[in-house]
Amino acid sequence: MHKLLTDEPGKKMLLLGNEAIARGAVEAGVAIAAAYPGTPSSEISLNFFQMSQESELYFEYSVNEKVSLEVAAAAANTGVRAMCIMKHVGMNVAADALMTLAYVGVRGGLVILVADDPSMFSSQNEQDSRYYAKLSGLAMLEPSTIEEAKDITIRAFELSEELEEPVLLRTTTRINHSTAVVTCGDISPPKTKGDFTRNPMRYVTVPAVSRKLHVRLLDNLARAEETANQSSLNFTEGKGNWGIICNGVSYTYVSDAVQELGIEEKATILRLGFSHPLPREKVNSFLAGCDRVLIVEEGEPVLEEAVKALAQEKGKLLPIGGKSTALFSRLGEFNPALVREKISAWFEVQETLHDKQEPLIQAELAPRPPTLCAGCSHRATFHAVKKAAAGMDVIYPTDIGCYTLGMLPPLGMADFLICMGSSTGTAAGFSRTLDKKVVTFCGDSTFFHSAMAGLVNAVFNKHNFTLIILDNGTTAMTGHQPHPGVDMEKHGLSGFGKIDIEEVVKALGVGYLSVIHPFKLNKSIKVLQEAFAYKGVSVVIAREICTLYGKSLKMPKMKPFYVSDKCQNHKDCIDQLGCPAFFVKKGRVNIDPDRCTGCALCAQVCPENAIRPVKTNDK
């Protein structure tokens, strides 16, 4: 049985933050969940997917975040509890549905988990999802610890049903990917079937209906603020007239810093776990007891601006610090030492040498630049593209996925990237304004997510570019989640459909379509040259299973290769491919047999045919 389905109230479990959130949803009786995978939220949906195989929970990987929210929204409006999971940039995709769903509201609890990524560990921007709470007029909760992540998820479902609105549950990477002991509670049996009474004047958002629903939303927002003012998620601790207001994981840094600096008798902390709408009554009361305030929040100055405005409205004159060149940056993730340093500076507390001591154990990590895996078929495709385009002036827009790593040398296959699915749309723009060949890339999951729409647009408007769909049979970068093109029977799962990308592309009316197997290098180059010569939209599907995914499916392993004595040390294999299975020892190229997957790409590049598969009698 999946560990998160353990029905033993009081049992203590060591859980990842994302596991704690999934457990909280199970305890709350979630019946429907939907997601598009995205780090740092990926493990939530993975656990839902696994649990759905052995419980009443319905979970799906939707084609994108907007669709997943639409699935969850409809279910919640039949009275069941539903959840939608995404990372922060996914909220941009879901925003169209979110804005109007806030008007319509829900009947069963609907929790929308959005995971922000300060420092961009795996994202293309650092946007702060709290602005979406303000923009949509929806309540937002933010946990500060792993245990609270579970409990606050349950509270989010309850709050959603109280307000009859979706509730945004915001996390940041440190909450998602930290581990702590969590105490299990009771599991509420999910209500899996609901009902729906037709009422177009309530649920069909034509202008005449929406005007009334906007009034309803604002009324609910006022109710939410009343609840926030009374919520135990918004609390104060400590005493003294130095005020610190914080949210999310920043609270734990602040709490530690106050103790380490020995200012417990001077500083009072206001932790906002129910952060939107701002509990103005509670904040006003807090400010009344302060003569100096510091706002500690990762990301944008959302709380800072709101608190300053509130102080101004009340005619309260006091220094309020937050984001500035001397204090906290809008860039990156906080850490305990940083928060302690800024608190010390703002309140003019002298840090002792002991205070400044860094952790005793500081491992010196070896530099590890991001790279495509050894044996990744994308490397073969990129090399084939480079060979096929030799002598041409080419620009390479790309997309979100493993293939983004193709930007790095020696491949250099990425010139422009803005968001998920943008490969086809941006390629169209470049093809209209540049006298260059445009070759763009997207993955199989990305194709279904949103790149497909740009391809439809390109065919209709007769743009001129080549799209290469890197079909490796899974959503690789986020951990091998399924998408509509995945054969789920390989996982021993039935009841799923399968959509063939090739048939979809044909149906869209693309003028040139071909499929290559990129490890067959010369054939691939020839096909790509044909595609590049085509005037109009051409599509090449580079089909080869993700090497790590194939390993997880226990597919046959190929023999590794080695560098024989024929090698004249040109190093073309390293200089052209950059496969991490290569290493140089005493000036000579070698292949790590434990990393080599036997793809044979390097053997096809070597000018002396010096790279050979390992045989029994080879040394």
Side-chain angles (χ1 to χ4, degrees):
M1 181 175 68
H2 194 286
K3 68 177 181 180
L4 297 184
L5 294 174
T6 302
D7 194 7
E8 297 179 34
K11 181 181 176 66
K12 294 188 181 299
M13 302 175 71
L14 186 64
L15 297 181
L16 194 68
N18 280 341
E19 293 175 322
I21 292 166
R23 170 69 189 195
V26 169
E27 291 185 11
V30 65
I32 301 283
Y36 184 80
T39 306
S41 70
S42 302
E43 294 86 358
I44 303 173
S45 46
L46 172 63
N47 280 280
F48 279 145
F49 179 70
Q50 293 169 338
M51 287 189 285
S52 69
Q53 307 305 314
E54 49 184 304
S55 70
E56 294 182 280
L57 170 69
Y58 172 80
F59 172 79
E60 71 170 44
Y61 282 112
S62 305
V63 292
N64 62 37
E65 296 83 357
K66 177 175 178 287
V67 173
S68 69
L69 180 54
E70 290 161 350
V71 170
N77 270 295
T78 67
V80 305
R81 286 187 167 182
M83 192 167 184
C84 179
I85 304 100
M86 63 191 72
K87 66 183 296 182
H88 61 305
V89 290
M91 182 58 88
N92 302 329
V93 182
D96 194 17
L98 179 73
M99 292 300 117
T100 308
L101 178 62
Y103 281 34
V104 172
V106 294
R107 292 173 55 217
L110 172 55
V111 177
I112 303 169
L113 184 290
V114 55
D116 285 4
D117 188 17
S119 287
M120 295 178 281
F121 294 105
S122 57
S123 306
Q124 63 269 43
N125 69 37
E126 285 185 295
Q127 73 184 50
D128 192 322
S129 296
R130 291 178 294 171
Y131 286 120
Y132 272 110
K134 190 171 184 179
L135 181 62
S136 63
L138 295 176
M140 173 170 276
L141 306 184
E142 298 182 76
S144 294
T145 66
I146 307 307
E147 175 125 37
E148 190 184 36
K150 178 186 80 74
D151 296 335
I152 211 168
T153 301
I154 300 170
R155 178 62 187 129
F157 279 102
E158 296 168 348
L159 181 63
S160 175
E161 291 179 354
E162 291 167 16
L163 298 173
E164 297 183 315
E165 294 284 3
V167 168
L168 300 172
L169 178 57
R170 176 189 183 241
T171 57
T172 53
T173 308
R174 202 55 47 187
I175 293 294
N176 297 102
H177 287 165
S178 294
T179 301
V181 174
V182 172
T183 304
C184 295
D186 294 310
I187 293 179
S188 299
K191 176 187 174 185
T192 58
K193 294 295 181 184
D195 61 78
F196 183 79
T197 302
R198 295 182 70 247
N199 183 359
M201 296 306 291
R202 169 71 173 79
Y203 294 112
V204 181
T205 52
V206 295
V209 175
S210 294
R211 291 186 192 104
K212 296 176 182 176
L213 293 180
H214 196 186
V215 175
R216 172 190 172 279
L217 171 63
L218 296 181
D219 289 343
N220 282 344
L221 191 60
R223 288 173 53 209
E225 184 177 333
E226 291 176 10
T227 306
N229 279 313
Q230 303 302 318
S231 174
S232 60
L233 298 176
N234 298 329
F235 59 81
T236 59
E237 65 179 29
K239 53 186 176 182
N241 53 13
W242 293 353
I244 303 175
I245 302 177
C246 51
N247 66 323
V249 72
S250 298
Y251 162 70
T252 61
Y253 304 152
V254 168
S255 185
D256 287 348
V258 166
Q259 291 182 42
E260 290 166 3
L261 293 170
I263 57 173
E264 299 98 320
E265 300 297 317
K266 297 179 179 177
T268 304
I269 302 169
L270 171 58
R271 198 297 296 262
L272 296 179
F274 189 159
S275 59
H276 188 268
L278 187 71
R280 289 184 293 182
E281 184 180 317
K282 180 160 285 188
V283 174
N284 272 329
S285 175
F286 179 79
L287 293 178
C290 298
D291 59 19
R292 191 173 185 82
V293 169
L294 180 65
I295 312 292
V296 185
E297 55 182 331
E298 287 180 327
E300 300 298 318
V302 177
L303 283 177
E304 181 184 341
E305 290 174 355
V307 171
K308 285 179 175 176
L310 204 55
Q312 195 277 336
E313 287 177 5
K314 293 296 181 182
K316 176 74 174 175
L317 296 176
L318 78 169
I320 299 176
K323 304 289 183 182
S324 72
T325 53
L327 290 171
F328 293 108
S329 172
R330 293 164 64 185
L331 305 172
E333 186 181 43
F334 289 180
N335 60 64
L338 172 75
V339 171
R340 185 178 58 205
E341 175 195 336
K342 301 306 180 187
I343 290 176
S344 171
W346 179 249
F347 293 110
E348 299 180 344
V349 179
Q350 184 67 41
E351 282 192 272
T352 66
L353 289 176
H354 175 73
D355 293 330
K356 292 182 177 179
Q357 188 175 8
E358 296 299 325
L360 295 176
I361 301 175
Q362 284 192 325
E364 189 68 29
L365 297 178
R368 183 182 179 277
T371 184
L372 295 168
C373 299
C376 176
S377 62
H378 298 345
R379 179 178 291 101
T381 302
F382 289 140
H383 182 71
V385 168
K386 185 173 285 188
K387 291 294 182 184
M392 301 174 68
D393 194 2
V394 185
I395 185 167
Y396 300 104
T398 190
D399 220 307
I400 303 289
C402 293
Y403 36 90
T404 312
L405 299 174
M407 70 177 287
L408 299 170
L411 301 170
M413 285 285 126
D415 292 322
F416 193 80
L417 169 65
I418 52 174
C419 65
M420 194 89 175
S422 65
S423 54
T424 45
T426 56
F430 284 124
S431 72
R432 287 289 172 179
T433 58
L434 298 176
D435 293 326
K436 296 183 177 183
K437 176 63 186 176
V438 178
V439 179
T440 190
F441 305 95
C442 77
D444 39 355
S445 185
T446 309
F447 176 78
F448 290 114
H449 179 281
S450 48
M452 187 165 58
L455 184 59
V456 172
N457 174 72
V459 172
F460 175 74
N461 288 298
K462 294 189 178 299
H463 291 300
N464 179 23
F465 61 80
T466 298
L467 168 66
I468 300 174
I469 303 173
L470 298 133
D471 181 5
N472 61 6
T474 188
T475 312
M477 179 166 259
T478 50
H480 303 145
Q481 294 85 359
H483 60 65
V486 170
D487 182 358
M488 297 298 284
E489 292 188 359
K490 289 182 178 177
H491 296 273
L493 298 173
S494 59
F496 293 89
K498 182 177 184 301
I499 298 174
D500 190 303
I501 294 176
E502 189 176 347
E503 295 301 318
V504 173
V505 174
K506 285 180 185 175
L508 296 182
V510 170
Y512 178 96
L513 169 64
S514 191
V515 178
I516 63 171
H517 298 283
F519 290 132
K520 296 179 179 178
L521 189 57
N522 289 333
K523 287 185 178 179
S524 297
I525 293 171
K526 184 178 179 182
V527 170
L528 288 165
Q529 288 172 333
E530 291 176 357
F532 295 168
Y534 183 81
K535 301 298 182 186
V537 178
S538 57
V539 173
V540 176
I541 300 173
R543 184 166 289 154
E544 193 70 52
I545 195 164
C546 166
T547 183
L548 295 183
Y549 182 49
K551 187 176 180 180
S552 71
L553 294 177
K554 303 188 185 306
M555 295 179 68
K557 185 179 179 182
M558 305 294 287
K559 288 183 178 180
F561 281 63
Y562 74 103
V563 182
S564 72
D565 294 340
K566 292 175 63 178
C567 174
Q568 297 183 21
N569 218 26
H570 290 105
K571 295 188 177 70
D572 285 5
C573 48
I574 292 179
D575 295 341
Q576 295 184 26
L577 303 178
C579 177
F582 286 110
F583 66 97
V584 177
K585 186 176 181 180
K586 296 180 179 178
R588 305 288 298 177
V589 177
N590 289 268
I591 296 175
D592 182 346
D594 293 329
R595 304 188 74 177
C596 178
T597 64
C599 72
L601 177 63
C602 55
Q604 298 173 71
V605 170
C606 179
E608 295 99 17
N609 295 318
I611 300 178
R612 302 167 52 189
V614 171
K615 296 179 181 178
T616 306
N617 59 351
D618 283 334
K619 295 182 179 178

